[in-house]
Amino acid sequence: MEPGSVPPPEERRRDAAATRRRLLEAARDLFAERGYEGATVRSIAARAGVNQALLFRYFGSKRGLLTEVMAQGGLEQVRATPPEELFEAALRSMLTRSAEGAEDRSLEVYLRSTGRGGESTGTLRELGEEYQKALAGLSDAPDAVLRADLAMAWLLGIGLMRTVVAREPLAGAEPDEVCRLVLGTLGHLWAAQPGDADGAEEAPGT
């Protein structure tokens, strides 16, 4: 192409798609490493190797970028995965890393960003509610929503200890071994127990 000439539309579209992809990958990693508030527009653009004005052109705002990162990762996963496979899929996504660096890091983003308020709150709440709804459907117990929240708390606690605190031996444990221990116990949470139909058994002496 001659210097100063305008690239054809097809080339411009390819360049735009590549730029959006780099911004999404950079944002995914920085949100997971620093949390939503800690990942600045400047740092995301710098990691993507583009001018930060392009972030606003393609996503409108940092919140818009977060929404797309979460949609590509967690929201897409929870909507596309059968509920009975969701907990294991989410657990493995936190326990493993791909050589290409294209793994889903949405739960890490959730861990480092939720509870801090700010403009990320609505997107993160939506992700939590999607997980809660899917997991609650796995139990026939009257307190299925509570059980779903307990499962989520366990999942996020594992993620916190492994990816944020990096506490051993969990931080270095083999993913298959962690899944074996966790999933073997999790089944008891979904199973309704005698007395559950009435909400709770009467206490002795009542």
Side-chain angles (χ1 to χ4, degrees):
M1 184 183 303
E2 293 296 327
S5 62
V6 177
E10 295 81 3
E11 186 172 334
R12 293 201 300 273
R13 283 195 293 269
R14 286 197 298 270
D15 289 345
T19 299
R20 290 184 88 264
R21 184 175 62 253
R22 291 200 303 273
L23 282 165
L24 283 168
E25 291 172 354
R28 177 203 65 197
D29 291 340
L30 284 170
F31 288 153
E33 294 164 12
R34 304 178 186 178
Y36 177 79
E37 300 300 332
T40 65
V41 168
R42 183 186 299 273
S43 64
I44 293 169
R47 182 168 293 196
V50 303
N51 188 294
Q52 59 184 301
L54 291 175
L55 185 152
F56 296 103
R57 177 187 298 178
Y58 295 132
F59 302 99
S61 65
K62 189 170 77 163
R63 168 63 184 276
L65 182 55
L66 173 71
T67 299
E68 189 148 349
V69 167
M70 299 302 279
Q72 283 196 338
L75 290 173
E76 183 178 282
Q77 181 186 63
V78 73
R79 291 166 182 170
T81 305
E84 64 274 13
E85 299 174 10
L86 181 60
F87 188 97
E88 181 175 0
L91 178 60
R92 286 189 181 277
S93 78
M94 292 194 302
L95 296 174
T96 60
R97 290 286 180 270
S98 71
E100 296 77 19
E103 72 281 355
D104 171 33
R105 302 188 70 180
S106 56
L107 287 179
E108 287 181 70
V109 176
Y110 188 97
L111 278 170
R112 294 187 189 270
S113 303
T114 192
R116 299 176 183 266
E119 62 178 359
S120 67
T121 302
T123 300
L124 297 172
R125 183 186 298 116
E126 182 183 3
L127 178 63
E129 290 172 350
E130 290 275 357
Y131 269 95
Q132 181 194 70
K133 180 180 178 181
L135 294 175
L138 297 176
S139 177
D140 293 327
D143 57 353
V145 174
L146 172 60
R147 295 178 189 226
D149 274 352
L150 290 171
M152 279 291 294
W154 195 10
L155 176 66
L156 294 173
I158 292 169
L160 179 70
M161 296 298 288
R162 183 173 174 104
T163 66
V164 179
V165 179
R167 183 184 178 92
E168 295 292 354
L170 178 55
E174 288 294 325
D176 285 344
E177 178 65 6
V178 175
C179 287
R180 182 184 68 83
L181 293 171
V182 171
L183 298 175
T185 304
L186 187 69
H188 297 289
L189 186 62
W190 306 133
Q193 302 298 318
D196 283 345
D198 300 320
E201 293 183 275
E202 291 186 352
T206 59

